[in-house]
Amino acid sequence: MLSLTNINKKYGSHEVLNISEWRIDNGIHWLKGGNGTGKSTLFRIISGQIPFDGEVELNGINLKKEPIKFRSKISFAEAEPQYPLFITGNELIDFYTETRNTQRKQADELADYFEMSAFLYNKIGIYSSGMLKKLSLICAFIGNPDLYILDEPLITIDIASADKLYCLIREMAVQGKSFLLSSHQEVSSDKLKLDTVLQIIDKQIVQL
């Protein structure tokens, strides 16, 4: 489903990742580990956010050869989302629905689900960290991608919202969608059945 070949990423002279070959099939995959191990860099590579050496393919679609088609199949939510502070939540959601060519109804249902509807008319600059994270999750689930990449989705949200996120992931997985998650916190095995647990060790991805 997702394959990486000869991936190398450096920041200046500092090498962060050096992955000869890695592949995962459909399912729910958890990448664990602390800051500085390369998790966010890996996610940005897979989602086409930053340049890199090597090849990334999703369901036979090559990121470098068909970048627009590839990106349409992936949804990426940053660990610490940074949006323009002067726009409203609604304006951001409108951008996502238009970009992903989907109906606003889907976003409205997600906003209700995460109890954010009442705040969407406010400017993002006044959002709390928890509200900002829930807004990023709403945006992440807009559209119909094949792979959802969620970087630290559990930070700053309350237990009730985390339970809702677990439920949503389970529902989407039943529909054949795949997830690549990272988290400092342990992912509750009784709330989410993981297909693989992964970690970046010595610049490579290792299955635990």
Side-chain angles (χ1 to χ4, degrees):
M1 191 272 298
L2 175 69
S3 66
L4 278 63
T5 308
N6 297 326
I7 298 297
N8 184 267
K9 179 61 183 178
K10 294 180 179 179
Y11 294 109
S13 61
H14 175 58
E15 186 177 61
V16 180
L17 296 172
N18 192 336
I19 303 165
S20 57
E21 189 173 3
W22 178 65
R23 184 181 186 277
I24 52 171
D25 293 319
N26 288 0
I28 302 174
H29 310 277
W30 174 34
L31 182 65
K32 65 185 297 185
N35 290 331
T37 58
K39 299 192 312 297
S40 295
T41 294
L42 176 67
F43 285 177
R44 290 185 183 121
I45 286 173
I46 296 171
S47 58
Q49 301 275 321
I50 56 175
F52 62 94
D53 292 328
E55 301 295 332
V56 176
E57 286 193 359
L58 177 66
N59 296 333
I61 304 169
N62 187 284
L63 169 57
K64 291 184 176 178
K65 293 177 181 177
E66 300 180 272
I68 295 175
K69 185 176 181 181
F70 182 95
R71 289 187 180 97
S72 72
K73 302 296 182 181
I74 284 184
S75 183
F76 174 47
E78 296 263 11
E80 297 179 3
Q82 295 184 358
Y83 302 125
L85 302 181
F86 55 85
I87 66 172
T88 67
N90 268 325
E91 289 171 328
L92 181 69
I93 286 174
D94 285 341
F95 170 77
Y96 272 82
T97 55
E98 183 177 348
T99 302
R100 295 182 178 172
N101 193 28
T102 190
Q103 298 295 317
R104 174 67 195 227
K105 178 183 177 183
Q106 182 193 29
D108 290 340
E109 290 172 351
L110 287 164
D112 287 342
Y113 183 72
F114 284 108
E115 300 180 357
M116 280 289 292
S117 298
F119 307 103
L120 294 182
Y121 294 96
N122 297 332
K123 285 184 168 48
I124 291 174
I126 68 168
Y127 281 18
S128 67
S129 58
M131 292 166 62
L132 194 60
K133 173 60 77 170
K134 288 196 282 186
L135 179 63
S136 75
L137 291 172
I138 292 167
C139 292
F141 282 96
I142 291 172
N144 188 34
D146 294 330
L147 173 64
Y148 296 85
I149 302 175
L150 308 180
D151 194 1
E152 296 289 350
L154 299 174
I155 59 172
T156 72
I157 60 173
D158 55 50
I159 294 175
S161 296
D163 286 341
K164 288 185 175 185
L165 176 60
Y166 281 134
C167 183
L168 187 56
I169 291 173
R170 291 196 302 268
E171 290 176 4
M172 299 300 288
V174 169
Q175 297 174 26
K177 305 301 183 180
S178 293
F179 289 84
L180 187 54
L181 315 169
S182 78
S183 177
H184 289 94
Q185 305 156 271
E186 289 293 321
V187 174
S188 178
S189 59
D190 62 333
K191 295 180 179 179
L192 207 58
K193 182 181 180 298
L194 298 168
D195 291 281
T196 59
V197 178
L198 310 159
Q199 190 167 358
I200 297 175
I201 300 175
D202 295 330
K203 307 169 190 174
Q204 299 183 49
I205 306 170
V206 177
Q207 184 169 333
L208 303 179

